[in-house]
Amino acid sequence: MQLILVFLFCIAAAEDRSLDYDDLTGVVGAREGKKWSVDPRGHRPLGVNEQPTEIHRTPVSTTHEAVTRRSRFEVTSTPQKQKSSQRKFDHDKGGCSFLTEELGVLCPNGCELRTALLKDERSMMPVIENLKLQVSNLSQSSKKINIYVERVDNEMHWRESQYIGNNQILSSYNTELEERFALIKEKVTQTLPSSIRLMRSLVDSLKEKLQKLERAVLTQKEYCAHPCTVSCNIPVVSGRECNEIYENGGRTSQLYLIQPDSFKPPYKVYCDMTTDEGGWTLIQNRQDGSVDFGRSWDAYKNGFGNIAFDSGKGFCDTPGEYWLGNDRISQLTKLRTTELFFEMQDWNNDMVKAHYSKFVVQSEINKYRLSVNGYSGVAGNTLMEGAKMLFGINRTMTIHQDMMFSTYDRDNDGWEPENPSKQCAREDGGGWWYNRCHSANPNGRYYFGGVYTKEMAKHGTDDGIVWMDWKGSWYSLKTMSMKIRPEFTSSIPVQEQIPQEFLAV
């Protein structure tokens, strides 16, 4: 690189000097009337026919400003012997001069420079090759670095998008956490104290109930400390059911022993010997709300309540509130063709009746399925036809015919059985042959006064002692009783009158 710069500098200097020399010779030739040819290489020998010539030079104006006069000099031929005394130069390296030292030093020509460059090329080529190799290595390294930088840049973009997404998720989580914290704080500061106060009041109420129960237990212990005495004398006359007792001479309505199955022990029932020619076995009775009818399946199966009590006559002539039991009712309806008789009274002491000439209750295997037929009376045929105030499917859903028995712990009604949120017995207060749900509800809750409202009901439903065709859904009757007896006017065997499907075990 340095040789190239020197070479360019010398060329520029040579052009400058040749220009001055040409100007000089042109001026001299013009003054003499002819053009002189002067060899710029003054160290070269003259030709054979050439003679040294004296050249007179005049100053030449070099700028438009002041004109400087150059000293006049002559060029004369130099003897051949004087050439030997002149300084020798290495022409390959430049530095040769004119014959006269005043003319300065000449630069080498193109050939000489080429020779010098070729000599230096041998020493410069290894350096150049090494530089090429280094440049190639740097280029490859640059490519690798560029690829790595691109990868890093892509990674940075990807991580930046992840960072933005994570920030958004974090912001949403923080917002949700703040909302939840505010909700919890509100509950802790406002809702929780009120709940604690409510729970304290409930605990106090439970304490009062426990104290009442303790007092009741103490009373029962005192009562049981004395030997038990029989309050009701049982008549000697007996039979398979009340109608047979009537035929055997029992004419007084009171408590009796009956034994439908000779292989099983007898049990107590109340026999009505005066209503409609007598002989009725009382299977259900409601009159004062003294017995809770919201009982379990087993309770309705075996029976519960008070059969009868003594009103002061010396025998149990007054029926209590009770349910005879589904097993016993089913057994009695299979002895012979059985009729069913309803008696009901409102709080104005008005009474109505409903009579069914056919009444069958199947066994527990068939979930005590109900079958009735042959209605007569003025109360309304709710068991077979549903509530007459309803129409279409709404009325159909209140029919009790062919329904299975349901209690709060055994859901067999027609309103999505086995669904605890849709259970008629739980909502309507007692066990019954519910459909979806009822038009008659003899085993419902007892309400004093008759009329009751949704607000008074436990579940907001018509859960009273209801016979809809007489008093509607929101009137709870004062008394309700169910009585059965064999169809004594008929001599046809029961197997020929009752459908075979209802005689299954």
PDB file of all heavy atoms in Angstrom, residues 150-171:
ATOM      1  N   GLU A 150     -29.804 -12.859  14.981  1.00  0.00           N
ATOM      2  CA  GLU A 150     -31.190 -13.024  14.538  1.00  0.00           C
ATOM      3  C   GLU A 150     -31.962 -13.947  15.492  1.00  0.00           C
ATOM      4  O   GLU A 150     -33.115 -13.682  15.850  1.00  0.00           O
ATOM      5  CB  GLU A 150     -31.221 -13.588  13.122  1.00  0.00           C
ATOM      6  CG  GLU A 150     -30.771 -12.575  12.062  1.00  0.00           C
ATOM      7  CD  GLU A 150     -30.838 -13.160  10.661  1.00  0.00           C
ATOM      8  OE1 GLU A 150     -31.150 -14.372  10.555  1.00  0.00           O
ATOM      9  OE2 GLU A 150     -30.579 -12.431   9.690  1.00  0.00           O
ATOM     10  N   ARG A 151     -31.291 -15.048  15.886  1.00  0.00           N
ATOM     11  CA  ARG A 151     -31.947 -15.965  16.828  1.00  0.00           C
ATOM     12  C   ARG A 151     -32.241 -15.272  18.149  1.00  0.00           C
ATOM     13  O   ARG A 151     -33.336 -15.412  18.723  1.00  0.00           O
ATOM     14  CB  ARG A 151     -31.080 -17.183  17.074  1.00  0.00           C
ATOM     15  CG  ARG A 151     -30.978 -18.112  15.871  1.00  0.00           C
ATOM     16  CD  ARG A 151     -30.089 -19.287  16.166  1.00  0.00           C
ATOM     17  NE  ARG A 151     -29.981 -20.177  15.016  1.00  0.00           N
ATOM     18  CZ  ARG A 151     -29.198 -21.251  14.978  1.00  0.00           C
ATOM     19  NH1 ARG A 151     -28.444 -21.553  16.044  1.00  0.00           N
ATOM     20  NH2 ARG A 151     -29.151 -22.009  13.910  1.00  0.00           N
ATOM     21  N   VAL A 152     -31.266 -14.532  18.628  1.00  0.00           N
ATOM     22  CA  VAL A 152     -31.467 -13.812  19.890  1.00  0.00           C
ATOM     23  C   VAL A 152     -32.599 -12.793  19.740  1.00  0.00           C
ATOM     24  O   VAL A 152     -33.431 -12.635  20.644  1.00  0.00           O
ATOM     25  CB  VAL A 152     -30.159 -13.132  20.327  1.00  0.00           C
ATOM     26  CG1 VAL A 152     -30.401 -12.193  21.502  1.00  0.00           C
ATOM     27  CG2 VAL A 152     -29.126 -14.172  20.712  1.00  0.00           C
ATOM     28  N   ASP A 153     -32.645 -12.134  18.573  1.00  0.00           N
ATOM     29  CA  ASP A 153     -33.697 -11.148  18.342  1.00  0.00           C
ATOM     30  C   ASP A 153     -35.084 -11.821  18.323  1.00  0.00           C
ATOM     31  O   ASP A 153     -36.035 -11.324  18.930  1.00  0.00           O
ATOM     32  CB  ASP A 153     -33.428 -10.433  17.018  1.00  0.00           C
ATOM     33  CG  ASP A 153     -34.414  -9.288  16.791  1.00  0.00           C
ATOM     34  OD1 ASP A 153     -34.470  -8.384  17.636  1.00  0.00           O
ATOM     35  OD2 ASP A 153     -35.117  -9.315  15.778  1.00  0.00           O
ATOM     36  N   ASN A 154     -35.182 -12.982  17.616  1.00  0.00           N
ATOM     37  CA  ASN A 154     -36.447 -13.717  17.597  1.00  0.00           C
ATOM     38  C   ASN A 154     -36.835 -14.173  19.002  1.00  0.00           C
ATOM     39  O   ASN A 154     -38.004 -14.104  19.394  1.00  0.00           O
ATOM     40  CB  ASN A 154     -36.341 -14.923  16.666  1.00  0.00           C
ATOM     41  CG  ASN A 154     -36.189 -14.512  15.206  1.00  0.00           C
ATOM     42  OD1 ASN A 154     -36.629 -13.432  14.816  1.00  0.00           O
ATOM     43  ND2 ASN A 154     -35.571 -15.369  14.404  1.00  0.00           N
ATOM     44  N   GLU A 155     -35.856 -14.671  19.727  1.00  0.00           N
ATOM     45  CA  GLU A 155     -36.116 -15.094  21.106  1.00  0.00           C
ATOM     46  C   GLU A 155     -36.604 -13.921  21.949  1.00  0.00           C
ATOM     47  O   GLU A 155     -37.523 -14.068  22.772  1.00  0.00           O
ATOM     48  CB  GLU A 155     -34.845 -15.698  21.704  1.00  0.00           C
ATOM     49  CG  GLU A 155     -35.004 -16.228  23.114  1.00  0.00           C
ATOM     50  CD  GLU A 155     -35.763 -17.532  23.154  1.00  0.00           C
ATOM     51  OE1 GLU A 155     -35.926 -18.149  22.076  1.00  0.00           O
ATOM     52  OE2 GLU A 155     -36.199 -17.916  24.242  1.00  0.00           O
ATOM     53  N   MET A 156     -36.004 -12.774  21.747  1.00  0.00           N
ATOM     54  CA  MET A 156     -36.411 -11.594  22.502  1.00  0.00           C
ATOM     55  C   MET A 156     -37.845 -11.198  22.156  1.00  0.00           C
ATOM     56  O   MET A 156     -38.640 -10.866  23.042  1.00  0.00           O
ATOM     57  CB  MET A 156     -35.465 -10.430  22.199  1.00  0.00           C
ATOM     58  CG  MET A 156     -34.091 -10.568  22.852  1.00  0.00           C
ATOM     59  SD  MET A 156     -34.188 -10.568  24.650  1.00  0.00           S
ATOM     60  CE  MET A 156     -34.763  -8.919  24.936  1.00  0.00           C
ATOM     61  N   HIS A 157     -38.199 -11.273  20.841  1.00  0.00           N
ATOM     62  CA  HIS A 157     -39.574 -10.956  20.448  1.00  0.00           C
ATOM     63  C   HIS A 157     -40.564 -11.933  21.078  1.00  0.00           C
ATOM     64  O   HIS A 157     -41.626 -11.542  21.570  1.00  0.00           O
ATOM     65  CB  HIS A 157     -39.714 -10.988  18.921  1.00  0.00           C
ATOM     66  CG  HIS A 157     -39.108  -9.779  18.250  1.00  0.00           C
ATOM     67  ND1 HIS A 157     -39.532  -8.490  18.493  1.00  0.00           N
ATOM     68  CD2 HIS A 157     -38.093  -9.674  17.346  1.00  0.00           C
ATOM     69  CE1 HIS A 157     -38.824  -7.635  17.762  1.00  0.00           C
ATOM     70  NE2 HIS A 157     -37.938  -8.336  17.068  1.00  0.00           N
ATOM     71  N   TRP A 158     -40.204 -13.252  21.036  1.00  0.00           N
ATOM     72  CA  TRP A 158     -41.084 -14.264  21.618  1.00  0.00           C
ATOM     73  C   TRP A 158     -41.250 -14.054  23.115  1.00  0.00           C
ATOM     74  O   TRP A 158     -42.348 -14.131  23.647  1.00  0.00           O
ATOM     75  CB  TRP A 158     -40.515 -15.644  21.328  1.00  0.00           C
ATOM     76  CG  TRP A 158     -41.354 -16.753  21.892  1.00  0.00           C
ATOM     77  CD1 TRP A 158     -42.553 -17.195  21.446  1.00  0.00           C
ATOM     78  CD2 TRP A 158     -41.029 -17.552  23.037  1.00  0.00           C
ATOM     79  NE1 TRP A 158     -43.018 -18.225  22.233  1.00  0.00           N
ATOM     80  CE2 TRP A 158     -42.098 -18.469  23.229  1.00  0.00           C
ATOM     81  CE3 TRP A 158     -39.964 -17.594  23.916  1.00  0.00           C
ATOM     82  CZ2 TRP A 158     -42.100 -19.401  24.247  1.00  0.00           C
ATOM     83  CZ3 TRP A 158     -39.967 -18.528  24.931  1.00  0.00           C
ATOM     84  CH2 TRP A 158     -41.015 -19.403  25.107  1.00  0.00           C
ATOM     85  N   ARG A 159     -40.134 -13.804  23.793  1.00  0.00           N
ATOM     86  CA  ARG A 159     -40.201 -13.586  25.244  1.00  0.00           C
ATOM     87  C   ARG A 159     -40.957 -12.296  25.563  1.00  0.00           C
ATOM     88  O   ARG A 159     -41.644 -12.206  26.587  1.00  0.00           O
ATOM     89  CB  ARG A 159     -38.799 -13.538  25.839  1.00  0.00           C
ATOM     90  CG  ARG A 159     -38.115 -14.901  25.835  1.00  0.00           C
ATOM     91  CD  ARG A 159     -36.764 -14.858  26.519  1.00  0.00           C
ATOM     92  NE  ARG A 159     -36.124 -16.147  26.495  1.00  0.00           N
ATOM     93  CZ  ARG A 159     -36.326 -17.121  27.392  1.00  0.00           C
ATOM     94  NH1 ARG A 159     -37.189 -16.902  28.372  1.00  0.00           N
ATOM     95  NH2 ARG A 159     -35.712 -18.278  27.306  1.00  0.00           N
ATOM     96  N   GLU A 160     -40.834 -11.313  24.672  1.00  0.00           N
ATOM     97  CA  GLU A 160     -41.570 -10.075  24.900  1.00  0.00           C
ATOM     98  C   GLU A 160     -43.076 -10.307  24.818  1.00  0.00           C
ATOM     99  O   GLU A 160     -43.848  -9.797  25.634  1.00  0.00           O
ATOM    100  CB  GLU A 160     -41.151  -9.038  23.860  1.00  0.00           C
ATOM    101  CG  GLU A 160     -41.813  -7.668  24.061  1.00  0.00           C
ATOM    102  CD  GLU A 160     -41.369  -6.658  23.022  1.00  0.00           C
ATOM    103  OE1 GLU A 160     -40.620  -7.043  22.116  1.00  0.00           O
ATOM    104  OE2 GLU A 160     -41.773  -5.490  23.135  1.00  0.00           O
ATOM    105  N   SER A 161     -43.498 -11.138  23.803  1.00  0.00           N
ATOM    106  CA  SER A 161     -44.931 -11.456  23.714  1.00  0.00           C
ATOM    107  C   SER A 161     -45.394 -12.240  24.935  1.00  0.00           C
ATOM    108  O   SER A 161     -46.483 -11.996  25.476  1.00  0.00           O
ATOM    109  CB  SER A 161     -45.207 -12.262  22.444  1.00  0.00           C
ATOM    110  OG  SER A 161     -44.525 -13.501  22.476  1.00  0.00           O
ATOM    111  N   GLN A 162     -44.537 -13.198  25.387  1.00  0.00           N
ATOM    112  CA  GLN A 162     -44.892 -13.941  26.606  1.00  0.00           C
ATOM    113  C   GLN A 162     -44.971 -13.010  27.802  1.00  0.00           C
ATOM    114  O   GLN A 162     -45.868 -13.134  28.641  1.00  0.00           O
ATOM    115  CB  GLN A 162     -43.855 -15.036  26.883  1.00  0.00           C
ATOM    116  CG  GLN A 162     -44.090 -16.312  26.106  1.00  0.00           C
ATOM    117  CD  GLN A 162     -43.286 -17.450  26.675  1.00  0.00           C
ATOM    118  OE1 GLN A 162     -42.228 -17.237  27.247  1.00  0.00           O
ATOM    119  NE2 GLN A 162     -43.783 -18.667  26.496  1.00  0.00           N
ATOM    120  N   TYR A 163     -44.066 -12.097  27.878  1.00  0.00           N
ATOM    121  CA  TYR A 163     -44.053 -11.170  29.003  1.00  0.00           C
ATOM    122  C   TYR A 163     -45.331 -10.320  29.016  1.00  0.00           C
ATOM    123  O   TYR A 163     -45.947 -10.118  30.061  1.00  0.00           O
ATOM    124  CB  TYR A 163     -42.812 -10.286  28.891  1.00  0.00           C
ATOM    125  CG  TYR A 163     -42.731  -9.185  29.925  1.00  0.00           C
ATOM    126  CD1 TYR A 163     -42.355  -9.467  31.237  1.00  0.00           C
ATOM    127  CD2 TYR A 163     -43.026  -7.873  29.584  1.00  0.00           C
ATOM    128  CE1 TYR A 163     -42.291  -8.470  32.187  1.00  0.00           C
ATOM    129  CE2 TYR A 163     -42.967  -6.861  30.527  1.00  0.00           C
ATOM    130  CZ  TYR A 163     -42.587  -7.165  31.823  1.00  0.00           C
ATOM    131  OH  TYR A 163     -42.529  -6.174  32.762  1.00  0.00           O
ATOM    132  N   ILE A 164     -45.728  -9.859  27.808  1.00  0.00           N
ATOM    133  CA  ILE A 164     -46.957  -9.055  27.731  1.00  0.00           C
ATOM    134  C   ILE A 164     -48.164  -9.894  28.137  1.00  0.00           C
ATOM    135  O   ILE A 164     -49.029  -9.449  28.910  1.00  0.00           O
ATOM    136  CB  ILE A 164     -47.125  -8.493  26.303  1.00  0.00           C
ATOM    137  CG1 ILE A 164     -45.988  -7.495  25.985  1.00  0.00           C
ATOM    138  CG2 ILE A 164     -48.484  -7.817  26.155  1.00  0.00           C
ATOM    139  CD1 ILE A 164     -45.975  -7.022  24.557  1.00  0.00           C
ATOM    140  N   GLY A 165     -48.237 -11.170  27.613  1.00  0.00           N
ATOM    141  CA  GLY A 165     -49.350 -12.034  27.986  1.00  0.00           C
ATOM    142  C   GLY A 165     -49.379 -12.338  29.473  1.00  0.00           C
ATOM    143  O   GLY A 165     -50.436 -12.326  30.108  1.00  0.00           O
ATOM    144  N   ASN A 166     -48.201 -12.609  30.031  1.00  0.00           N
ATOM    145  CA  ASN A 166     -48.142 -12.890  31.476  1.00  0.00           C
ATOM    146  C   ASN A 166     -48.564 -11.671  32.282  1.00  0.00           C
ATOM    147  O   ASN A 166     -49.221 -11.798  33.322  1.00  0.00           O
ATOM    148  CB  ASN A 166     -46.731 -13.316  31.870  1.00  0.00           C
ATOM    149  CG  ASN A 166     -46.377 -14.679  31.319  1.00  0.00           C
ATOM    150  OD1 ASN A 166     -47.269 -15.482  31.033  1.00  0.00           O
ATOM    151  ND2 ASN A 166     -45.098 -14.957  31.148  1.00  0.00           N
ATOM    152  N   ASN A 167     -48.185 -10.505  31.808  1.00  0.00           N
ATOM    153  CA  ASN A 167     -48.602  -9.286  32.515  1.00  0.00           C
ATOM    154  C   ASN A 167     -50.120  -9.130  32.500  1.00  0.00           C
ATOM    155  O   ASN A 167     -50.740  -8.743  33.499  1.00  0.00           O
ATOM    156  CB  ASN A 167     -47.938  -8.057  31.882  1.00  0.00           C
ATOM    157  CG  ASN A 167     -46.520  -7.837  32.392  1.00  0.00           C
ATOM    158  OD1 ASN A 167     -46.139  -8.390  33.413  1.00  0.00           O
ATOM    159  ND2 ASN A 167     -45.753  -7.040  31.683  1.00  0.00           N
ATOM    160  N   GLN A 168     -50.723  -9.462  31.330  1.00  0.00           N
ATOM    161  CA  GLN A 168     -52.187  -9.358  31.245  1.00  0.00           C
ATOM    162  C   GLN A 168     -52.868 -10.360  32.184  1.00  0.00           C
ATOM    163  O   GLN A 168     -53.820 -10.028  32.890  1.00  0.00           O
ATOM    164  CB  GLN A 168     -52.633  -9.587  29.807  1.00  0.00           C
ATOM    165  CG  GLN A 168     -52.183  -8.492  28.844  1.00  0.00           C
ATOM    166  CD  GLN A 168     -52.565  -8.803  27.409  1.00  0.00           C
ATOM    167  OE1 GLN A 168     -53.028  -9.902  27.104  1.00  0.00           O
ATOM    168  NE2 GLN A 168     -52.363  -7.854  26.513  1.00  0.00           N
ATOM    169  N   ILE A 169     -52.356 -11.617  32.175  1.00  0.00           N
ATOM    170  CA  ILE A 169     -52.939 -12.623  33.075  1.00  0.00           C
ATOM    171  C   ILE A 169     -52.757 -12.215  34.521  1.00  0.00           C
ATOM    172  O   ILE A 169     -53.670 -12.320  35.344  1.00  0.00           O
ATOM    173  CB  ILE A 169     -52.287 -13.995  32.796  1.00  0.00           C
ATOM    174  CG1 ILE A 169     -52.643 -14.475  31.391  1.00  0.00           C
ATOM    175  CG2 ILE A 169     -52.720 -15.017  33.842  1.00  0.00           C
ATOM    176  CD1 ILE A 169     -51.932 -15.735  30.982  1.00  0.00           C
ATOM    177  N   LEU A 170     -51.553 -11.738  34.831  1.00  0.00           N
ATOM    178  CA  LEU A 170     -51.290 -11.306  36.203  1.00  0.00           C
ATOM    179  C   LEU A 170     -52.213 -10.155  36.600  1.00  0.00           C
ATOM    180  O   LEU A 170     -52.723 -10.112  37.726  1.00  0.00           O
ATOM    181  CB  LEU A 170     -49.823 -10.880  36.324  1.00  0.00           C
ATOM    182  CG  LEU A 170     -49.353 -10.446  37.716  1.00  0.00           C
ATOM    183  CD1 LEU A 170     -49.496 -11.593  38.703  1.00  0.00           C
ATOM    184  CD2 LEU A 170     -47.897  -9.973  37.662  1.00  0.00           C
ATOM    185  N   SER A 171     -52.438  -9.261  35.651  1.00  0.00           N
ATOM    186  CA  SER A 171     -53.330  -8.142  35.949  1.00  0.00           C
ATOM    187  C   SER A 171     -54.758  -8.628  36.201  1.00  0.00           C
ATOM    188  O   SER A 171     -55.422  -8.174  37.138  1.00  0.00           O
ATOM    189  CB  SER A 171     -53.315  -7.156  34.776  1.00  0.00           C
ATOM    190  OG  SER A 171     -54.216  -6.103  34.996  1.00  0.00           O
TER     191      SER A 171
END
